[in-house]
Amino acid sequence: MIFSRFSFLLLSLGALSLNCKTSTSQPPPPQVVYLKDVAKFPIGASVSPTLLKNNALYRQVAGREYTSLTCENAMKMRPLHPEATRYDWTDADAIVQFAKERGIRMHGHTLLWHQSVPDWMTNFQGDTPAWEALLKDHIQTVVRHYQGQVASWDVVNEAFNDDGTLRNSLWRQKLGDDYLARCFQYAREADQQVLLFYNDYGQEYAPKKMQAILDLVADFKKRNIPIDGLGLQLHINVNTSDANIQNLFQKAAATGLKLHVSELDVSVNPKGEATVMYTDELKEKQATRYELIFKTFKALPAAQQHGLTTWNIGDADTWLRSFYKRQDFPLLFDDQYQPKAVYGRLVKVLK
Ligand code: G3I
């Protein structure tokens, strides 16, 4: 592993020429640079508790590369709140502990998501005040449990449809369109310090969704509803247009809020073929998409750079394979947790 990393990093650090000039003595020890060493803003990944526990290589990479971690699933409502009167903190707490031991920041994902509703909640029978109490109780119990340990929360995840209308989630059905604002207020009530984010995908290809989110921010500001940041998920692919990415960053940055590239991955198999050849051409297209995002993020004002997070670590761990039952290679590390060539290019961008 050291050797493959060594080979491209030596080049990027110019260490080879240094060796030539000092050839009379032993070559200096390899100078290894990790993402976190060169990033001037938080750099992160989402992680799985099972892999952190059982896979030593995964644990090693998670601990050495990043300054921010997100639970890929463990803080979602379904795993965290399996019964009305019971929370299961085990997995999420283990990840928080891993981060704490290494001085890594935790980003919380997510307090409310229509795709992670536990069955007891789906089946809950109650009037509007009872639903409101249930929502408030979940948000505040989780935020308080992690107070001082989680720096920021995706308070609501994916509340809009691509056409900009509000998704008809359980919450909207039970509590009306303004439930979103109350989620942010409940989270703020529970913790005055934690940063509150709205997180969504597809804003780079769905301009009406992007506009709905910008309108939400403007409305929140007008009504003094607390919101600190926007999560741009950026589950993109090799064909995503540069102009769309740049437009999204520009519009989101104009809100003045903090920005979190919260779930970055670049699919090389967007048509969903069962198998795909990971050719040099695809690798190049993928690397240029990554470079654009890293460069654009790097150019943001420091106060708005909440962080840049990839959606898990190695290609073996990507949700794209399990969810779409297809081959894909969307991340910065390969199936064996070796940094890919794109990693070396991003190190250069970050420096
Ligand atoms: O942990 C259970 C395991 O106990 C069980 O035996 C197994 C059987 O299917 O399921 C396991 O849970 C799975 C979980 O991932 C952990 O692997 C769920 O079925 C599966 O639905 C879940 O998928 C996650 C998905 O969100 C739904 O929660 C993906 O890993 C995760 O990458 C994905 O992440 C979302 C973000 O939260 C929001 N934005 C989009 C992104 C991609 O869909």
Side-chain angles (χ1 to χ4, degrees):
M1 158 130 96
I2 299 273
F3 287 114
S4 70
R5 176 185 286 291
F6 198 27
S7 50
F8 72 78
L9 284 174
L10 279 182
L11 283 174
S12 72
L13 293 170
L16 271 179
S17 62
L18 194 70
N19 279 351
C20 295
K21 285 174 202 149
T22 57
S23 58
T24 48
S25 58
Q26 286 284 87
Q31 187 173 354
V32 178
V33 171
Y34 300 119
L35 289 174
K36 72 173 179 205
D37 301 328
V38 280
K40 294 191 177 62
F41 46 78
I43 188 100
S46 71
V47 287
S48 133
T50 317
L51 285 166
L52 271 188
K53 197 169 153 205
N54 301 332
N55 186 324
L57 252 183
Y58 184 90
R59 201 162 46 241
Q60 214 177 71
V61 178
R64 75 171 183 224
E65 297 283 345
Y66 306 110
T67 44
S68 180
L69 291 178
T70 304
C71 297
E72 184 176 12
N73 293 302
M75 287 186 183
K76 291 173 184 169
M77 220 183 232
R78 202 176 163 85
L80 198 63
H81 196 170
E83 291 171 46
T85 54
R86 184 170 70 88
Y87 287 81
D88 182 351
W89 308 105
T90 323
D91 284 345
D93 280 3
I95 295 174
V96 170
Q97 183 61 25
F98 176 90
K100 201 185 289 175
E101 284 163 6
R102 292 160 180 81
I104 301 175
R105 179 188 77 177
M106 279 303 304
H107 172 73
H109 175 80
T110 169
L111 296 169
L112 218 76
W113 186 31
H114 66 281
Q115 274 192 38
S116 186
V117 181
D119 293 343
W120 68 266
M121 202 176 284
T122 309
N123 300 326
F124 179 75
Q125 302 292 322
D127 57 10
T128 308
W131 273 101
E132 188 78 25
L134 187 154
L135 169 79
K136 179 176 177 182
D137 185 61
H138 175 85
I139 291 175
Q140 298 200 329
T141 303
V142 177
V143 170
R144 287 196 179 114
H145 182 86
Y146 289 114
Q147 188 157 19
Q149 306 182 73
V150 161
S152 45
W153 275 105
D154 291 334
V155 178
V156 182
N157 193 46
E158 303 172 10
F160 290 98
N161 296 307
D162 284 0
D163 67 3
T165 56
L166 208 50
R167 194 186 289 279
N168 198 23
S169 67
L170 188 63
W171 309 107
R172 184 189 183 219
Q173 291 167 34
K174 302 292 180 190
L175 300 170
D177 288 3
D178 209 31
Y179 78 94
L180 267 166
R182 297 201 298 283
C183 291
F184 281 78
Q185 286 171 321
Y186 294 148
R188 175 55 73 240
E189 250 175 56
D191 185 341
Q192 273 77 61
Q193 307 300 323
V194 77
L195 298 170
L196 306 178
F197 280 70
Y198 175 76
N199 190 50
D200 216 326
Y201 69 92
Q203 301 171 72
E204 66 285 356
Y205 66 74
K208 287 184 175 160
K209 179 189 267 188
M210 179 176 69
Q211 193 53 50
I213 294 164
L214 298 173
D215 292 347
L216 177 89
V217 172
D219 174 59
F220 275 19
K221 283 185 178 170
K222 208 167 67 196
R223 295 196 287 147
N224 274 324
I225 309 288
I227 182 165
D228 302 291
L230 286 178
L232 316 177
Q233 294 187 8
L234 290 179
H235 293 291
I236 62 163
N237 67 69
V238 282
N239 301 320
T240 304
S241 101
D242 286 6
N244 284 5
I245 293 171
Q246 281 160 329
N247 181 47
L248 171 59
F249 273 104
Q250 194 230 317
K251 298 263 172 53
T255 62
L257 296 183
K258 291 180 184 298
L259 301 187
H260 183 202
V261 172
S262 54
E263 305 185 13
L264 179 60
D265 47 28
V266 183
S267 166
V268 297
N269 185 13
K271 288 196 181 136
E273 313 287 345
T275 59
V276 66
M277 288 288 292
Y278 193 23
T279 58
D280 285 349
E281 192 194 337
L282 279 178
K283 288 178 187 169
E284 179 58 31
K285 277 176 123 179
Q286 183 184 48
T288 54
R289 299 278 80 70
Y290 265 114
E291 282 176 334
L292 175 73
I293 287 164
F294 273 58
K295 277 180 193 159
T296 312
F297 193 83
K298 190 181 169 191
L300 291 172
Q304 285 185 274
Q305 292 170 324
H306 187 64
L308 207 158
T309 297
T310 61
W311 207 234
N312 223 315
I313 295 177
D315 285 340
D317 318 317
T318 177
W319 71 286
L320 291 168
R321 290 190 187 174
S322 44
F323 186 78
Y324 292 111
K325 311 266 179 288
R326 73 184 198 216
Q327 261 190 9
D328 217 320
F329 306 91
L331 291 164
L332 304 181
F333 293 85
D334 68 16
D335 281 56
Q336 283 74 44
Y337 299 103
Q338 299 295 317
K340 303 198 291 195
V342 55
Y343 177 105
R345 286 169 65 162
L346 295 177
V347 165
K348 281 187 195 152
V349 169
L350 289 171
K351 275 166 113 185

